[in-house]
Amino acid sequence: MSRLRSGQWLALTAGGLVVAALVGIVVCLVALHRLTGAREQVVERVDPARVASQFYLTALVDQETGIRGYAAAGTNDYLGPYDLGAKNAVLARKRLDELAATGRVPHLFEDLQGVASASTSWHLLYADPSILTIRAEGVGAENLPSNAAGKQLFDGLRGAFDQMQQHLIAERADARTQLRHAAALAQWAVIFTAALILAAALAAAVTLSRVVAMPLSHLARDARRVARGEFDHEVAVEGPRDIQGLSTDVESMRQRIIAELDTVNRARAQLEEQTLDLQRSNAELEQFAYVASHDLQEPLRKVASFTGMLQHRYQGQLDERADQYIDFAVDGAKRMQVLINDLLAFSRVGRVGTADVVVDMGEAAADAERNLAAAIEESGAQVEVDAPLPRVQGDRSLLTALLQNLIGNAIKFRGDDAPHVHVGVTRTPAANGDADMYTFTVSDNGIGIAPRYADRIFVIFQRLHPKEEYTGTGIGLAMCRKIVEFHGGQIWLEPDNAEDGESAGATFRFTLPVPPDDEKSPA
């Protein structure tokens, strides 16, 4: 079995079916040929010969009747049947000669010779002399052939016909017997052909079932067991050569799965260990956040409070250097408070108090403007927000902080002109079956950002300007990126509006997913 492929087994079984069909067809053709020959013998030779011989005898009887009437009355009217019989006899004899010439009707040629000899004798010795004598001498001529002689001659003719009819009857009976035998043979040939083809088909089905179907079924059963997770179940290798190759491939795949599974299990164990380490680290970070928000804030507030009181009460009473030192202490305490608050806010993004609800971005923008009201009024800034902004799924406080940081940066890093900030949005169809995205744009007319700093600005504590020139801790844009990525989007600096040496302003874009149940798209 293993020496041949399944396709070769299929070819062998198909060849067996073809051979069986050809044998059956040949047997049926032989039987049909014999049936056709027997039918032709009966229908096209023997039966026509019998009909023609009967017609021939009838024509001679008509002649004999006409001669007897003519001999009795001498009237030419009685020769009408004789003349008609003579014509019919010629036609019948011609048909019989044609059938005898085929040689397929036994004894017909010899019988026709006997009939022709008897007919000639009757015509020459009785019919023709009677007609000539009656025409010449009348009915009572002395030399007129006697009726007894004519009857004797015609009886001999009848005897020749009787012999031909007996031969034809015997031949017809034999031909009908052959026809029945040929019909029975054809019937048995059809039965034999059907049985042969059925047996060949059954043999082919059994062969294919044992050689191809059963190995494939076993392979499918083993593959399903492996697919259900029984990776220790070995795949049996059996059947034709190509199925054995497939079974070997499946077995190799099973062994590789086992090896990969071992690797995955080891990696999972390592990942679980790292997860535990990360959980411990997060717990420590939580503890740090608690310490930072309580234990560090309290002494820092005292330092800030007392240095502020020292600055307020003793300002100008000490020397100039002492006043400068006090200013440094007060400024450092305040910046430390701002830095700690920003770090706490950054660490809490997506971790503490996050509420996943439907947020109207227009309302979030309005909240951001209210929080920046003092800076907007002081700088004379103009904030333009496209209406309506869409709704998204997320945390309102975080999304408000996102817009507040971007608008606040636009106001902080302004140029000579009054700040102008524009907030817009477009809807972008997604590719590959993903959800559509809203692309928000926050652009300004400020000092701009060089393209080479496009990635650096989103890193925590990265500043492009000294703190004496622009206040801040360098956490704002890092927090913006963390908020956007937490909501499943991306944020980037649009480089087209910011080139080195120019103050074309900065344009930030960020994406947020469109909620599945939100069919409205902004214009």
PDB file of all heavy atoms in Angstrom, residues 1 5-15 17 200-217 239-240 243:
ATOM      1  N   MET A   1       0.822  -1.207   0.000  1.00  0.00           N
ATOM      2  CA  MET A   1       0.000   0.000   0.000  1.00  0.00           C
ATOM      3  C   MET A   1       0.856   1.258   0.000  1.00  0.00           C
ATOM      4  O   MET A   1       0.531   2.250  -0.640  1.00  0.00           O
ATOM      5  CB  MET A   1      -0.922  -0.009   1.216  1.00  0.00           C
ATOM      6  CG  MET A   1      -1.909   1.152   1.257  1.00  0.00           C
ATOM      7  SD  MET A   1      -2.822   1.218   2.813  1.00  0.00           S
ATOM      8  CE  MET A   1      -3.588  -0.399   2.824  1.00  0.00           C
ATOM      9  N   ARG A   5       0.933   6.155  -4.399  1.00  0.00           N
ATOM     10  CA  ARG A   5       0.245   7.327  -3.868  1.00  0.00           C
ATOM     11  C   ARG A   5      -1.261   7.130  -3.991  1.00  0.00           C
ATOM     12  O   ARG A   5      -1.737   6.256  -4.729  1.00  0.00           O
ATOM     13  CB  ARG A   5       0.665   8.591  -4.626  1.00  0.00           C
ATOM     14  CG  ARG A   5       2.154   8.921  -4.481  1.00  0.00           C
ATOM     15  CD  ARG A   5       2.487  10.184  -5.268  1.00  0.00           C
ATOM     16  NE  ARG A   5       3.896  10.526  -5.153  1.00  0.00           N
ATOM     17  CZ  ARG A   5       4.417  11.252  -4.182  1.00  0.00           C
ATOM     18  NH1 ARG A   5       3.627  11.710  -3.237  1.00  0.00           N
ATOM     19  NH2 ARG A   5       5.699  11.513  -4.147  1.00  0.00           N
ATOM     20  N   SER A   6      -2.004   7.959  -3.261  1.00  0.00           N
ATOM     21  CA  SER A   6      -3.468   7.859  -3.317  1.00  0.00           C
ATOM     22  C   SER A   6      -3.985   8.146  -4.721  1.00  0.00           C
ATOM     23  O   SER A   6      -4.955   7.529  -5.172  1.00  0.00           O
ATOM     24  CB  SER A   6      -4.091   8.830  -2.308  1.00  0.00           C
ATOM     25  OG  SER A   6      -3.654  10.160  -2.562  1.00  0.00           O
ATOM     26  N   GLY A   7      -3.334   9.062  -5.434  1.00  0.00           N
ATOM     27  CA  GLY A   7      -3.747   9.328  -6.818  1.00  0.00           C
ATOM     28  C   GLY A   7      -3.552   8.114  -7.713  1.00  0.00           C
ATOM     29  O   GLY A   7      -4.372   7.843  -8.608  1.00  0.00           O
ATOM     30  N   GLN A   8      -2.477   7.342  -7.490  1.00  0.00           N
ATOM     31  CA  GLN A   8      -2.260   6.136  -8.276  1.00  0.00           C
ATOM     32  C   GLN A   8      -3.291   5.065  -7.932  1.00  0.00           C
ATOM     33  O   GLN A   8      -3.751   4.335  -8.816  1.00  0.00           O
ATOM     34  CB  GLN A   8      -0.843   5.622  -8.015  1.00  0.00           C
ATOM     35  CG  GLN A   8       0.244   6.557  -8.558  1.00  0.00           C
ATOM     36  CD  GLN A   8       1.628   6.145  -8.120  1.00  0.00           C
ATOM     37  OE1 GLN A   8       1.816   5.646  -7.009  1.00  0.00           O
ATOM     38  NE2 GLN A   8       2.607   6.352  -8.989  1.00  0.00           N
ATOM     39  N   TRP A   9      -3.668   4.970  -6.632  1.00  0.00           N
ATOM     40  CA  TRP A   9      -4.737   4.046  -6.274  1.00  0.00           C
ATOM     41  C   TRP A   9      -6.048   4.454  -6.935  1.00  0.00           C
ATOM     42  O   TRP A   9      -6.812   3.606  -7.409  1.00  0.00           O
ATOM     43  CB  TRP A   9      -4.894   3.991  -4.765  1.00  0.00           C
ATOM     44  CG  TRP A   9      -3.894   3.109  -4.083  1.00  0.00           C
ATOM     45  CD1 TRP A   9      -2.817   3.489  -3.344  1.00  0.00           C
ATOM     46  CD2 TRP A   9      -3.871   1.676  -4.090  1.00  0.00           C
ATOM     47  NE1 TRP A   9      -2.124   2.402  -2.886  1.00  0.00           N
ATOM     48  CE2 TRP A   9      -2.755   1.264  -3.329  1.00  0.00           C
ATOM     49  CE3 TRP A   9      -4.695   0.703  -4.660  1.00  0.00           C
ATOM     50  CZ2 TRP A   9      -2.435  -0.066  -3.133  1.00  0.00           C
ATOM     51  CZ3 TRP A   9      -4.374  -0.631  -4.453  1.00  0.00           C
ATOM     52  CH2 TRP A   9      -3.261  -1.012  -3.707  1.00  0.00           C
ATOM     53  N   LEU A  10      -6.319   5.725  -6.966  1.00  0.00           N
ATOM     54  CA  LEU A  10      -7.528   6.201  -7.656  1.00  0.00           C
ATOM     55  C   LEU A  10      -7.485   5.853  -9.135  1.00  0.00           C
ATOM     56  O   LEU A  10      -8.490   5.437  -9.728  1.00  0.00           O
ATOM     57  CB  LEU A  10      -7.657   7.711  -7.460  1.00  0.00           C
ATOM     58  CG  LEU A  10      -8.038   8.200  -6.057  1.00  0.00           C
ATOM     59  CD1 LEU A  10      -7.960   9.714  -5.993  1.00  0.00           C
ATOM     60  CD2 LEU A  10      -9.447   7.747  -5.702  1.00  0.00           C
ATOM     61  N   ALA A  11      -6.311   6.009  -9.742  1.00  0.00           N
ATOM     62  CA  ALA A  11      -6.180   5.677 -11.166  1.00  0.00           C
ATOM     63  C   ALA A  11      -6.391   4.183 -11.396  1.00  0.00           C
ATOM     64  O   ALA A  11      -7.034   3.777 -12.380  1.00  0.00           O
ATOM     65  CB  ALA A  11      -4.807   6.117 -11.670  1.00  0.00           C
ATOM     66  N   LEU A  12      -5.864   3.335 -10.494  1.00  0.00           N
ATOM     67  CA  LEU A  12      -6.045   1.894 -10.650  1.00  0.00           C
ATOM     68  C   LEU A  12      -7.517   1.505 -10.536  1.00  0.00           C
ATOM     69  O   LEU A  12      -8.029   0.714 -11.348  1.00  0.00           O
ATOM     70  CB  LEU A  12      -5.227   1.166  -9.585  1.00  0.00           C
ATOM     71  CG  LEU A  12      -3.702   1.125  -9.799  1.00  0.00           C
ATOM     72  CD1 LEU A  12      -3.030   0.447  -8.624  1.00  0.00           C
ATOM     73  CD2 LEU A  12      -3.360   0.405 -11.100  1.00  0.00           C
ATOM     74  N   THR A  13      -8.200   2.039  -9.538  1.00  0.00           N
ATOM     75  CA  THR A  13      -9.618   1.704  -9.391  1.00  0.00           C
ATOM     76  C   THR A  13     -10.443   2.238 -10.562  1.00  0.00           C
ATOM     77  O   THR A  13     -11.342   1.559 -11.060  1.00  0.00           O
ATOM     78  CB  THR A  13     -10.156   2.274  -8.071  1.00  0.00           C
ATOM     79  OG1 THR A  13      -9.872   3.687  -8.010  1.00  0.00           O
ATOM     80  CG2 THR A  13      -9.498   1.605  -6.888  1.00  0.00           C
ATOM     81  N   ALA A  14     -10.112   3.428 -11.012  1.00  0.00           N
ATOM     82  CA  ALA A  14     -10.818   3.969 -12.182  1.00  0.00           C
ATOM     83  C   ALA A  14     -10.538   3.111 -13.411  1.00  0.00           C
ATOM     84  O   ALA A  14     -11.438   2.849 -14.229  1.00  0.00           O
ATOM     85  CB  ALA A  14     -10.391   5.415 -12.423  1.00  0.00           C
ATOM     86  N   GLY A  15      -9.280   2.645 -13.551  1.00  0.00           N
ATOM     87  CA  GLY A  15      -8.964   1.764 -14.672  1.00  0.00           C
ATOM     88  C   GLY A  15      -9.726   0.460 -14.604  1.00  0.00           C
ATOM     89  O   GLY A  15     -10.191  -0.065 -15.634  1.00  0.00           O
ATOM     90  N   LEU A  17     -12.671   0.008 -13.253  1.00  0.00           N
ATOM     91  CA  LEU A  17     -14.047   0.319 -13.661  1.00  0.00           C
ATOM     92  C   LEU A  17     -14.159   0.452 -15.173  1.00  0.00           C
ATOM     93  O   LEU A  17     -15.127  -0.028 -15.788  1.00  0.00           O
ATOM     94  CB  LEU A  17     -14.510   1.602 -12.975  1.00  0.00           C
ATOM     95  CG  LEU A  17     -14.826   1.504 -11.476  1.00  0.00           C
ATOM     96  CD1 LEU A  17     -15.106   2.884 -10.902  1.00  0.00           C
ATOM     97  CD2 LEU A  17     -16.027   0.606 -11.240  1.00  0.00           C
ATOM     98  N   ALA A 200     -17.288  -4.247  -9.959  1.00  0.00           N
ATOM     99  CA  ALA A 200     -16.077  -3.437 -10.072  1.00  0.00           C
ATOM    100  C   ALA A 200     -16.183  -2.169  -9.227  1.00  0.00           C
ATOM    101  O   ALA A 200     -15.215  -1.760  -8.560  1.00  0.00           O
ATOM    102  CB  ALA A 200     -15.832  -3.077 -11.539  1.00  0.00           C
ATOM    103  N   ALA A 201     -17.373  -1.534  -9.231  1.00  0.00           N
ATOM    104  CA  ALA A 201     -17.564  -0.328  -8.414  1.00  0.00           C
ATOM    105  C   ALA A 201     -17.454  -0.651  -6.930  1.00  0.00           C
ATOM    106  O   ALA A 201     -16.854   0.103  -6.151  1.00  0.00           O
ATOM    107  CB  ALA A 201     -18.921   0.306  -8.716  1.00  0.00           C
ATOM    108  N   LEU A 202     -18.039  -1.802  -6.530  1.00  0.00           N
ATOM    109  CA  LEU A 202     -17.950  -2.207  -5.127  1.00  0.00           C
ATOM    110  C   LEU A 202     -16.503  -2.486  -4.741  1.00  0.00           C
ATOM    111  O   LEU A 202     -16.036  -2.065  -3.663  1.00  0.00           O
ATOM    112  CB  LEU A 202     -18.817  -3.440  -4.896  1.00  0.00           C
ATOM    113  CG  LEU A 202     -18.884  -3.966  -3.449  1.00  0.00           C
ATOM    114  CD1 LEU A 202     -19.465  -2.903  -2.535  1.00  0.00           C
ATOM    115  CD2 LEU A 202     -19.713  -5.236  -3.380  1.00  0.00           C
ATOM    116  N   ALA A 203     -15.796  -3.177  -5.629  1.00  0.00           N
ATOM    117  CA  ALA A 203     -14.386  -3.445  -5.353  1.00  0.00           C
ATOM    118  C   ALA A 203     -13.588  -2.151  -5.273  1.00  0.00           C
ATOM    119  O   ALA A 203     -12.721  -1.978  -4.400  1.00  0.00           O
ATOM    120  CB  ALA A 203     -13.811  -4.363  -6.426  1.00  0.00           C
ATOM    121  N   ALA A 204     -13.883  -1.205  -6.187  1.00  0.00           N
ATOM    122  CA  ALA A 204     -13.182   0.076  -6.155  1.00  0.00           C
ATOM    123  C   ALA A 204     -13.500   0.840  -4.867  1.00  0.00           C
ATOM    124  O   ALA A 204     -12.611   1.445  -4.251  1.00  0.00           O
ATOM    125  CB  ALA A 204     -13.574   0.912  -7.374  1.00  0.00           C
ATOM    126  N   ALA A 205     -14.779   0.796  -4.452  1.00  0.00           N
ATOM    127  CA  ALA A 205     -15.152   1.504  -3.228  1.00  0.00           C
ATOM    128  C   ALA A 205     -14.462   0.899  -2.012  1.00  0.00           C
ATOM    129  O   ALA A 205     -13.953   1.624  -1.143  1.00  0.00           O
ATOM    130  CB  ALA A 205     -16.675   1.460  -3.054  1.00  0.00           C
ATOM    131  N   VAL A 206     -14.443  -0.455  -1.959  1.00  0.00           N
ATOM    132  CA  VAL A 206     -13.782  -1.109  -0.833  1.00  0.00           C
ATOM    133  C   VAL A 206     -12.289  -0.796  -0.834  1.00  0.00           C
ATOM    134  O   VAL A 206     -11.689  -0.495   0.215  1.00  0.00           O
ATOM    135  CB  VAL A 206     -14.023  -2.630  -0.894  1.00  0.00           C
ATOM    136  CG1 VAL A 206     -13.181  -3.346   0.148  1.00  0.00           C
ATOM    137  CG2 VAL A 206     -15.502  -2.940  -0.676  1.00  0.00           C
ATOM    138  N   THR A 207     -11.694  -0.841  -2.026  1.00  0.00           N
ATOM    139  CA  THR A 207     -10.257  -0.548  -2.125  1.00  0.00           C
ATOM    140  C   THR A 207      -9.952   0.874  -1.686  1.00  0.00           C
ATOM    141  O   THR A 207      -9.036   1.122  -0.880  1.00  0.00           O
ATOM    142  CB  THR A 207      -9.778  -0.776  -3.562  1.00  0.00           C
ATOM    143  OG1 THR A 207     -10.045  -2.123  -3.941  1.00  0.00           O
ATOM    144  CG2 THR A 207      -8.282  -0.501  -3.684  1.00  0.00           C
ATOM    145  N   LEU A 208     -10.716   1.834  -2.224  1.00  0.00           N
ATOM    146  CA  LEU A 208     -10.474   3.237  -1.861  1.00  0.00           C
ATOM    147  C   LEU A 208     -10.757   3.471  -0.386  1.00  0.00           C
ATOM    148  O   LEU A 208     -10.075   4.273   0.265  1.00  0.00           O
ATOM    149  CB  LEU A 208     -11.339   4.148  -2.727  1.00  0.00           C
ATOM    150  CG  LEU A 208     -10.972   4.216  -4.214  1.00  0.00           C
ATOM    151  CD1 LEU A 208     -11.932   5.140  -4.954  1.00  0.00           C
ATOM    152  CD2 LEU A 208      -9.546   4.708  -4.394  1.00  0.00           C
ATOM    153  N   SER A 209     -11.778   2.775   0.143  1.00  0.00           N
ATOM    154  CA  SER A 209     -12.090   2.960   1.562  1.00  0.00           C
ATOM    155  C   SER A 209     -10.944   2.479   2.439  1.00  0.00           C
ATOM    156  O   SER A 209     -10.552   3.146   3.395  1.00  0.00           O
ATOM    157  CB  SER A 209     -13.380   2.204   1.901  1.00  0.00           C
ATOM    158  OG  SER A 209     -13.657   2.268   3.277  1.00  0.00           O
ATOM    159  N   ARG A 210     -10.405   1.297   2.112  1.00  0.00           N
ATOM    160  CA  ARG A 210      -9.336   0.738   2.935  1.00  0.00           C
ATOM    161  C   ARG A 210      -7.997   1.418   2.691  1.00  0.00           C
ATOM    162  O   ARG A 210      -7.207   1.584   3.616  1.00  0.00           O
ATOM    163  CB  ARG A 210      -9.213  -0.768   2.659  1.00  0.00           C
ATOM    164  CG  ARG A 210     -10.445  -1.554   3.043  1.00  0.00           C
ATOM    165  CD  ARG A 210     -10.188  -3.038   2.957  1.00  0.00           C
ATOM    166  NE  ARG A 210      -9.106  -3.445   3.852  1.00  0.00           N
ATOM    167  CZ  ARG A 210      -8.633  -4.686   3.944  1.00  0.00           C
ATOM    168  NH1 ARG A 210      -9.162  -5.633   3.178  1.00  0.00           N
ATOM    169  NH2 ARG A 210      -7.656  -4.969   4.768  1.00  0.00           N
ATOM    170  N   VAL A 211      -7.760   1.806   1.421  1.00  0.00           N
ATOM    171  CA  VAL A 211      -6.440   2.328   1.073  1.00  0.00           C
ATOM    172  C   VAL A 211      -6.353   3.827   1.318  1.00  0.00           C
ATOM    173  O   VAL A 211      -5.300   4.341   1.737  1.00  0.00           O
ATOM    174  CB  VAL A 211      -6.107   1.983  -0.392  1.00  0.00           C
ATOM    175  CG1 VAL A 211      -4.797   2.628  -0.816  1.00  0.00           C
ATOM    176  CG2 VAL A 211      -6.023   0.481  -0.564  1.00  0.00           C
ATOM    177  N   VAL A 212      -7.432   4.572   1.029  1.00  0.00           N
ATOM    178  CA  VAL A 212      -7.371   6.043   1.085  1.00  0.00           C
ATOM    179  C   VAL A 212      -8.247   6.595   2.205  1.00  0.00           C
ATOM    180  O   VAL A 212      -7.789   7.355   3.061  1.00  0.00           O
ATOM    181  CB  VAL A 212      -7.789   6.654  -0.277  1.00  0.00           C
ATOM    182  CG1 VAL A 212      -7.768   8.174  -0.206  1.00  0.00           C
ATOM    183  CG2 VAL A 212      -6.861   6.165  -1.385  1.00  0.00           C
ATOM    184  N   ALA A 213      -9.535   6.202   2.213  1.00  0.00           N
ATOM    185  CA  ALA A 213     -10.477   6.831   3.144  1.00  0.00           C
ATOM    186  C   ALA A 213     -10.141   6.522   4.600  1.00  0.00           C
ATOM    187  O   ALA A 213     -10.152   7.426   5.456  1.00  0.00           O
ATOM    188  CB  ALA A 213     -11.908   6.379   2.823  1.00  0.00           C
ATOM    189  N   MET A 214      -9.854   5.256   4.903  1.00  0.00           N
ATOM    190  CA  MET A 214      -9.569   4.905   6.296  1.00  0.00           C
ATOM    191  C   MET A 214      -8.308   5.581   6.822  1.00  0.00           C
ATOM    192  O   MET A 214      -8.325   6.145   7.922  1.00  0.00           O
ATOM    193  CB  MET A 214      -9.472   3.380   6.437  1.00  0.00           C
ATOM    194  CG  MET A 214     -10.825   2.667   6.311  1.00  0.00           C
ATOM    195  SD  MET A 214     -10.687   0.870   6.510  1.00  0.00           S
ATOM    196  CE  MET A 214     -10.072   0.792   8.181  1.00  0.00           C
ATOM    197  N   PRO A 215      -7.177   5.575   6.069  1.00  0.00           N
ATOM    198  CA  PRO A 215      -6.011   6.318   6.566  1.00  0.00           C
ATOM    199  C   PRO A 215      -6.299   7.801   6.753  1.00  0.00           C
ATOM    200  O   PRO A 215      -5.845   8.415   7.720  1.00  0.00           O
ATOM    201  CB  PRO A 215      -4.947   6.063   5.489  1.00  0.00           C
ATOM    202  CG  PRO A 215      -5.331   4.775   4.859  1.00  0.00           C
ATOM    203  CD  PRO A 215      -6.821   4.758   4.867  1.00  0.00           C
ATOM    204  N   LEU A 216      -7.052   8.410   5.812  1.00  0.00           N
ATOM    205  CA  LEU A 216      -7.395   9.822   5.964  1.00  0.00           C
ATOM    206  C   LEU A 216      -8.276  10.040   7.189  1.00  0.00           C
ATOM    207  O   LEU A 216      -8.121  11.032   7.917  1.00  0.00           O
ATOM    208  CB  LEU A 216      -8.100  10.336   4.699  1.00  0.00           C
ATOM    209  CG  LEU A 216      -7.216  10.642   3.497  1.00  0.00           C
ATOM    210  CD1 LEU A 216      -8.056  11.057   2.306  1.00  0.00           C
ATOM    211  CD2 LEU A 216      -6.212  11.733   3.831  1.00  0.00           C
ATOM    212  N   SER A 217      -9.225   9.106   7.421  1.00  0.00           N
ATOM    213  CA  SER A 217     -10.089   9.227   8.594  1.00  0.00           C
ATOM    214  C   SER A 217      -9.272   9.123   9.876  1.00  0.00           C
ATOM    215  O   SER A 217      -9.482   9.889  10.826  1.00  0.00           O
ATOM    216  CB  SER A 217     -11.164   8.139   8.546  1.00  0.00           C
ATOM    217  OG  SER A 217     -11.961   8.173   9.710  1.00  0.00           O
ATOM    218  N   GLY A 239      -1.181   4.149   5.330  1.00  0.00           N
ATOM    219  CA  GLY A 239      -1.816   4.485   4.072  1.00  0.00           C
ATOM    220  C   GLY A 239      -0.829   4.649   2.938  1.00  0.00           C
ATOM    221  O   GLY A 239       0.350   4.289   3.027  1.00  0.00           O
ATOM    222  N   PRO A 240      -1.292   5.196   1.802  1.00  0.00           N
ATOM    223  CA  PRO A 240      -0.418   5.417   0.647  1.00  0.00           C
ATOM    224  C   PRO A 240       0.724   6.376   0.993  1.00  0.00           C
ATOM    225  O   PRO A 240       0.732   7.029   2.035  1.00  0.00           O
ATOM    226  CB  PRO A 240      -1.362   6.030  -0.399  1.00  0.00           C
ATOM    227  CG  PRO A 240      -2.724   5.601   0.015  1.00  0.00           C
ATOM    228  CD  PRO A 240      -2.691   5.521   1.507  1.00  0.00           C
ATOM    229  N   ILE A 243      -0.170  10.073   1.759  1.00  0.00           N
ATOM    230  CA  ILE A 243      -0.859  10.227   3.044  1.00  0.00           C
ATOM    231  C   ILE A 243       0.116   9.970   4.193  1.00  0.00           C
ATOM    232  O   ILE A 243       0.047  10.619   5.245  1.00  0.00           O
ATOM    233  CB  ILE A 243      -2.067   9.279   3.109  1.00  0.00           C
ATOM    234  CG1 ILE A 243      -3.086   9.666   2.022  1.00  0.00           C
ATOM    235  CG2 ILE A 243      -2.723   9.323   4.477  1.00  0.00           C
ATOM    236  CD1 ILE A 243      -4.326   8.786   2.009  1.00  0.00           C
TER     237      ILE A 243
END
